[in-house]
Amino acid sequence: MSETHLALTPGQLREVLTVLHAYAPRHSAKAFGSRVRLGSEVNALKSHADLDIALTGSPLALHEMFALRDAFSESDLPFRVDVLMSEDLPAYWLNAISWVDLTPKQ
């Protein structure tokens, strides 16, 4: 199986992790979608490609999810970040897509 990596600069990754830590500190987070790359995949990434993040854990209250999404939209990231709870993904996606773990290592 190929190793996955995330198409973000180190600064962008730091910003994503900072927002996640501030607004969803008790949740595991995984990136998926067009910014997740397999192995040495070098396909050009469209500049407007968004970052998709799925959170695992107890569901965020509506106001917490809005605050998290607002924090991403107000960040300096040059792309949109879509956040949802992993339980909201179709079941067949959970094993069919590539993931990059964004959960800080303890």
Side-chain angles (χ1 to χ4, degrees), residues 25-42:
R26 295 176 307 280
H27 291 76
S28 296
K30 291 185 179 180
F32 66 99
S34 60
R35 287 195 175 265
V36 173
R37 301 299 195 182
L38 292 174
S40 60
E41 193 175 67
V42 292

Side-chain angles (χ1 to χ4, degrees), residues 16 20 28-32 51-55 72 81-85 99 102:
V16 167
L20 288 171
S28 296
K30 291 185 179 180
F32 66 99
L51 174 62
D52 300 299
I53 298 175
L55 300 177
F72 277 122
V81 179
D82 291 326
V83 182
L84 50 90
M85 297 304 298
W99 301 90
L102 297 173

